[in-house]
Amino acid sequence: MDEPTTSGPERILVIGRSPSVILDAAGILRSKGFQADATNQFDEVLTEYDTTNIDIVVFGGMVPPDTKRHLRDEISKVNGHVTFVQGLAGIAGLIAAQVEGVTSTAGDDNGVAYDTTKRTVQLTLRGPAQVVVEAWWATSFTPPEPTSTSLRVIDSHFDSGEYFIPLPAEVPPVASFLTVSVGPAVRAFTVGAMPEAVMRMVPTGDPTQRPALPPVRAVATHGDN
C-alpha cells in the first residue's frame, strides 16, 4: 500500500446527503485536529477535490450504491493509501467517532466487544485506561435533516482487568449505536439496526424510479470555506 505523499493531519472527506449532518461531522473532525471537508455533490467529488491526497473517505447511508462504487474505484486508482468508511447513521458525532476509530491505533491490545444479547459492553484492559462509553440514536428519520441524541454512559478511569458495562434501558433497540473509547482508541458498534423503511429511502440510481427523498441544498466545503 502506498504511503501518503504529504505529512500532517489526516485529510477527511465526508460524502453524504444531509447538509447539517455532513457539515457538523466535518466541524467536529476539524475541532479534533483533522483536515475535514464535506460534500453532497456526488458528481463533483472527482473534479472538486484532490483525491490523491485524501486519507479517509466517509460515505453516508443515502449515497446511492452505484455512486459509492464508482467513487471508490476512481479514487483508489489515484490513491493507494485511502481508507473508505461506511457511516453507520446520519449522526454527526457518531461519524466523527468512526473516523477516530480508523485513525487511532494505540490500545489495540485491549479487548473491546459488545454483547448484543445482553446489551453489554465487555472490556478486557491490559493496563489502566480512561474509558468513555457513549450511546447514539436517531430521534427522527424525516429527510433531509434527520435528528438524533446521545448519552454518555460512562467516563471513568479503569484499572487493568475485565469489566461489563450494561446499556441503560433508555437506549432504544432500533437505529442505535455505541462508541467505546479506551484511551485514544475508539470502537463503534451497532446496537439496533436502522428500520427497513429508512433503508428503502436509499436512492438506487435508477433514473426511471421516482425519487423517495426531497431535494437538499448544495454543500461542498473546501478548507475553512
Side-chain angles (χ1 to χ4, degrees), residues 114 119-121 131-137 150-156 158 164-171 177-180 191:
Y114 175 67
R119 283 173 52 102
T120 300
V121 176
V131 175
V132 179
V133 177
E134 194 153 9
W136 315 78
W137 64 93
S150 64
L151 173 69
R152 183 66 59 90
V153 177
I154 200 165
D155 184 351
S156 299
F158 283 67
F164 299 89
I165 304 170
L167 284 192
E170 64 192 280
V171 179
F177 307 88
L178 185 69
T179 55
V180 182
V191 175

Side-chain angles (χ1 to χ4, degrees), residues 50-132:
D50 180 7
T51 54
T52 64
N53 280 323
I54 295 175
D55 296 304
I56 298 173
V57 173
V58 183
F59 288 116
M62 292 298 161
V63 179
D66 287 348
T67 299
K68 193 184 310 179
R69 190 177 307 112
H70 173 67
L71 291 175
R72 287 179 66 112
D73 290 346
E74 293 303 311
I75 294 173
S76 296
K77 288 178 183 178
V78 298
N79 186 333
H81 69 268
V82 67
T83 298
F84 296 98
V85 175
Q86 177 58 57
L88 293 175
I91 302 174
L94 176 62
I95 293 169
Q98 286 188 258
V99 171
E100 288 188 278
V102 171
T103 59
S104 63
T105 56
D108 285 347
D109 56 341
N110 291 305
V112 181
Y114 175 67
D115 187 321
T116 56
T117 303
K118 297 180 180 179
R119 283 173 52 102
T120 300
V121 176
Q122 302 175 344
L123 298 176
T124 303
L125 304 181
R126 300 188 182 279
Q130 186 71 20
V131 175
V132 179

Side-chain angles (χ1 to χ4, degrees), residues 6-30:
T6 60
S7 59
E10 287 93 346
R11 295 162 293 268
I12 319 298
L13 180 60
V14 181
I15 304 173
R17 194 169 189 281
S18 167
S20 65
V21 171
I22 62 176
L23 287 172
D24 288 350
I28 294 170
L29 289 167
R30 284 194 293 269

